[in-house]
Amino acid sequence: EIRFCDWSSDVCSSDLHVFVQGYRPGGLEALGFGPADAARIRPGIVYVSLSAYGHEGPWAGRRGFDSLVQSATGFNLAEAEAFGSAAPKAMPYQILDYASGFLMAFGAAAALWRQQTEGGSWHVRVSLAQTARWLREFGRFAPDLTVARPDFEALVADYPSGFGHLRAMPHAARFSATPPHWERPSMPPGTHPPVWPKR
């Protein structure tokens, strides 16, 4: 169950334990929703913050996302070197998002344990750039581009879309009571009016 807080009116459920946000450092504080504000409104809260470049230093105030931080931390250069390319090459997945999400969940769990054993409110800080630094410390494998591409054909599904016939991987999660589905297909920008659709 997901519960929501009305921070603007100081009405917050007493059983809310974790608040997660991904704005640049200082962004929510300027609006009165920073870690200290959350601790005042809901003592004992675990406040989890994700930033692009860290919470201190000259780049702390910069906005960013996985692909930008991969470029800034050398991942795209390493991919180019592996493929013998002179131009930067993007990785085929958002490794910083995935790894940072796991670190945020781990940090939240650790902070909840400490809150239960020591009391107080806790602030967990994770940044994409620090995740990149940590991953780079593991070193690199020698590139081996001779590995055959796996056969994904049995996993691909067909969908109609506003762009024509679409073949894509369906969602990996499988739940009997709540199977993943999309009520509306992918459409070109401007296809629908900018209003919430009615069910």
Side-chain angles (χ1 to χ4, degrees):
E1 182 178 9
I2 298 175
R3 295 177 182 265
F4 295 93
C5 241
D6 183 358
W7 295 97
S8 61
S9 64
D10 286 2
V11 176
C12 195
S13 171
S14 62
D15 58 358
L16 178 74
H17 300 290
V18 179
F19 178 77
V20 180
Q21 63 94 11
Y23 289 88
R24 63 184 171 80
L28 282 186
E29 284 89 341
L31 299 173
F33 304 137
D37 303 300
R40 177 183 55 79
I41 296 167
R42 170 62 173 91
I45 193 78
V46 170
Y47 192 103
V48 182
S49 297
L50 173 68
S51 68
Y53 298 103
H55 295 78
E56 299 174 356
W59 282 28
R62 292 190 179 195
R63 297 170 179 86
F65 50 90
D66 189 303
S67 299
L68 289 178
V69 180
Q70 280 193 33
S71 293
T73 55
F75 277 85
N76 297 159
L77 177 60
E79 283 291 290
E81 291 171 348
F83 283 86
S85 170
K89 188 171 180 60
M91 291 186 79
Y93 52 91
Q94 304 301 105
I95 191 172
L96 303 183
D97 282 345
Y98 280 109
S100 295
F102 289 124
L103 291 172
M104 292 167 71
F106 177 76
L112 284 169
W113 181 81
R114 293 192 70 176
Q115 195 283 330
Q116 291 295 309
T117 57
E118 302 175 33
S121 301
W122 295 83
H123 187 192
V124 175
R125 300 191 308 187
V126 176
S127 75
L128 298 175
Q130 284 290 358
T131 299
R133 182 191 60 78
W134 176 61
L135 292 173
R136 295 292 299 268
E137 286 179 354
F138 288 111
R140 293 167 57 184
F141 287 103
D144 181 4
L145 305 179
T146 63
V147 176
R149 182 178 182 271
D151 183 11
F152 295 117
E153 193 58 35
L155 304 173
V156 175
D158 296 288
Y159 304 96
S161 83
F163 299 94
H165 184 80
L166 176 65
R167 291 180 55 74
M169 291 269 197
H171 199 284
R174 295 287 183 268
F175 300 106
S176 58
T178 56
H181 71 284
W182 290 263
E183 294 183 2
R184 296 169 187 86
S186 298
M187 300 296 287
T191 299
H192 300 107
V195 296
W196 289 110
K198 295 180 180 178
R199 291 184 160 266

